[in-house]
Amino acid sequence: MMNAIAMDRQAVHEDYERARQTFHRLLDSASEEELSGATHGTKWTNEQLLWHMLFGYMVVLRLLLLVRVFGRLPRSVSRVFARVLDAATVPFDRVNYVGPRGAVKFYGPRRMGAAFDRVIDSLHRHLASEPDARLARGMHYPVRWDPFFKDFMTLADIYRHPNRHFDFHRRQLTLSNGGSPAASIPDW
C-alpha cells in the first residue's frame, strides 16, 4: 500500500511523455527498409515490434478496469483468475506473436503514431483523476504472460508498467535512431 501512496505521479506523466517523444522519433526517422528489418531477440520486424510496444500501452487501459473490479474483491478471486490465465499462456503467446504481424498492415507508421498519442493522452487523464486510495488497490496477475508482471500488483504498479515494457523492447529495435543508450533508460 505504501508503494501506491508514495507514487510520484509527475514522474510517471513525464515518463509517458518521454516514451511518446521516443516513439515518434523512432517512427519518423525510420526508413521503410529499416521498419521491415529484423529485431534483436524477436521474430518480429522493427515495425511489428513498434506496434507491440504501442499495444503494451493499449493493454494497460484495459488492465485499469480489471484492477478497479478485482481490487474490490477478496484477493483469492484475482488469484484464481490469474492462475486460469497462466494456464492459457500457450494460446496467449501465439496471439501475442501473430497480432503485430497483422496489425501493422492496418495501422502503418502514421496510424501508430496517432494511436500512441491517443493512448498516452488517455493514460494522462486517468492517472490525473485517480484517487490515492484506488492506486493502492491491486490484484494478482498471470506472471507467465509478461516478465514485468509480479504476482500481485497495485493500480500504481500498472500505471508504471507500460514504460518498463516499452524500454525493454526499445533495446531490441535495430533502427539507426534506436533511442537513447541503455544507461539513460530508467531502472525501476
Side-chain angles (χ1 to χ4, degrees), residues 19-27 50 54 112-113 116 166:
R20 181 197 314 249
Q21 291 170 4
T22 301
F23 193 79
H24 281 285
R25 185 180 71 244
L26 293 168
L27 282 177
L50 283 164
L54 159 63
M112 278 196 289
F116 202 90
F166 180 91

Side-chain angles (χ1 to χ4, degrees), residues 4 15 20 36 61 66 72 79 92 101 105 107 111 117 137 141 155 180:
D15 217 22
R20 181 197 314 249
S36 63
L61 290 174
L66 281 177
R72 294 178 179 273
R79 186 178 294 117
F92 168 79
R101 297 172 64 96
K105 291 176 175 41
Y107 275 84
R111 281 188 176 162
D117 289 341
R137 290 187 190 137
Y141 286 85
L155 190 59
S180 304

Side-chain angles (χ1 to χ4, degrees), residues 15-27 49-58 61 107-124 162-163 165-167:
D15 217 22
Y16 288 156
E17 287 307 310
R18 176 192 57 82
R20 181 197 314 249
Q21 291 170 4
T22 301
F23 193 79
H24 281 285
R25 185 180 71 244
L26 293 168
L27 282 177
L49 183 55
L50 283 164
W51 189 89
H52 177 77
M53 292 161 66
L54 159 63
F55 190 66
Y57 288 89
M58 292 174 164
L61 290 174
Y107 275 84
R110 191 173 58 221
R111 281 188 176 162
M112 278 196 289
F116 202 90
D117 289 341
R118 283 190 303 276
V119 73
I120 291 295
D121 290 344
S122 182
L123 285 169
H124 278 307
N163 292 323
H165 179 261
F166 180 91
D167 290 335

Side-chain angles (χ1 to χ4, degrees), residues 25 31 80 88 123 149:
R25 185 180 71 244
S31 67
V80 169
L123 285 169
F149 281 167

Side-chain angles (χ1 to χ4, degrees), residues 66 70-71 73-85 138-142 151-152:
L66 281 177
F70 281 103
L73 301 172
R75 286 189 178 187
S76 60
V77 175
S78 70
R79 186 178 294 117
V80 169
F81 180 69
R83 298 312 170 253
V84 168
L85 293 178
M139 65 178 277
H140 290 275
Y141 286 85
D151 178 53
F152 187 87

